[in-house]
Amino acid sequence: MEETIAGTKTAQIPKQRGESLQEAAVRYAEERHWDVFPGTWLEAADGVQHCSCGEPVCSAPGAHPAREDWATQTTGSVTVVRRMWSKQPAASILLPTGRTFDAIEVPETAGCLALARMRRMELTLGPVSCTPDRRMHFFVLPGAAAKVPDLVRNLGWPPSSLDLVTLGEGAYVAAPPTRFGSRGAVQWACRPTPANRWLPDAEELISPLAYACGRDR
């Protein structure tokens, strides 16, 4: 199944149905110059999929770091990426934030409302992902984590009153086609394309995002 949300523009990363996790990870490193690292994976036991971490109740089965020192694993080398996923082809694809991009995370309902508003405003968008637990990540320039709280305050919202989180240094996002157990796979709401290689600044998107999150409370 192609990892695309209906009604969104098509793109090249990933561009083929049935593309393996290794192929997708290589594309992110080669075409987008993003650092990637392998996370946990899903293992079948008695007909049920479990996270490789071994936790009976895992909050993100098959879609979180496999080790505490995950930051030392991140790489943008295509050769290293191929080697990593050759060792564990089922490993999830995780992208560290705070390097080539930060991510603004909002609920899916608010994210869809914000996307519609941004397109009406003809704002320049970066990639936007949607997770099976109904969260959306808007990719923006690094440094957003430090400035977003003040930007939200300037719009008249106490940051703690909105379900809006900025992921920067020390955090990560899962990338398509990573699966969250039986919940489904991460998808692109706005795929990475040559047109959105240059990411927007958080300041350009924060107004429609804060407005949507305020409506979604």
Side-chain angles (χ1 to χ4, degrees):
M1 177 178 179
E2 187 175 358
E3 304 298 341
T4 310
I5 293 178
T8 60
K9 295 181 179 179
T10 58
Q12 298 178 359
I13 308 175
K15 66 181 180 182
Q16 296 181 354
R17 298 188 180 199
E19 187 173 40
S20 71
L21 287 157
Q22 183 191 64
E23 291 169 333
V26 166
R27 283 185 180 276
Y28 297 137
E30 186 172 44
E31 299 181 13
R32 201 70 183 196
H33 305 296
W34 286 340
D35 284 352
V36 302
F37 68 99
T40 53
W41 55 92
L42 296 172
E43 298 176 332
D46 299 323
V48 179
Q49 290 186 321
H50 300 276
C51 184
S52 62
C53 71
E55 288 293 329
V57 181
C58 180
S59 60
H64 64 85
R67 42 195 278 187
E68 292 184 4
D69 63 342
W70 61 264
T72 65
Q73 287 188 290
T74 61
T75 180
S77 166
V78 171
T79 300
V80 176
V81 170
R82 289 188 188 281
R83 184 167 66 245
M84 285 177 165
W85 268 269
S86 292
K87 292 179 180 178
Q88 182 45 257
S92 53
I93 304 172
L94 305 180
L95 311 174
T97 52
R99 300 186 181 189
T100 51
F101 64 86
D102 280 3
I104 301 176
E105 178 184 320
V106 298
E108 184 181 275
T109 50
C112 290
L113 176 61
L115 270 179
R117 190 175 178 87
M118 290 172 187
R119 285 169 176 153
R120 287 197 300 270
M121 297 168 68
E122 298 185 345
L123 295 180
T124 299
L125 290 170
V128 181
S129 65
C130 185
T131 68
D133 53 359
R134 305 186 70 82
R135 306 291 291 181
M136 293 180 74
H137 295 108
F138 289 73
F139 289 32
V140 294
L141 289 173
K147 65 172 70 173
V148 161
D150 284 339
L151 291 173
V152 171
R153 288 189 193 94
N154 292 340
L155 291 170
W157 296 96
S160 60
S161 70
L162 300 180
D163 187 2
L164 183 154
V165 180
T166 311
L167 304 175
E169 187 175 358
Y172 64 90
V173 296
T178 295
R179 297 191 67 84
F180 279 58
S182 60
R183 302 175 207 166
V186 184
Q187 302 183 42
W188 288 117
C190 294
R191 290 173 174 267
T193 70
N196 64 22
R197 181 174 296 277
W198 304 105
L199 300 176
D201 190 277
E203 190 168 357
E204 301 172 53
L205 306 186
I206 199 62
S207 179
L209 283 171
Y211 170 80
C213 286
R215 286 278 304 271
D216 195 50
R217 291 191 305 171

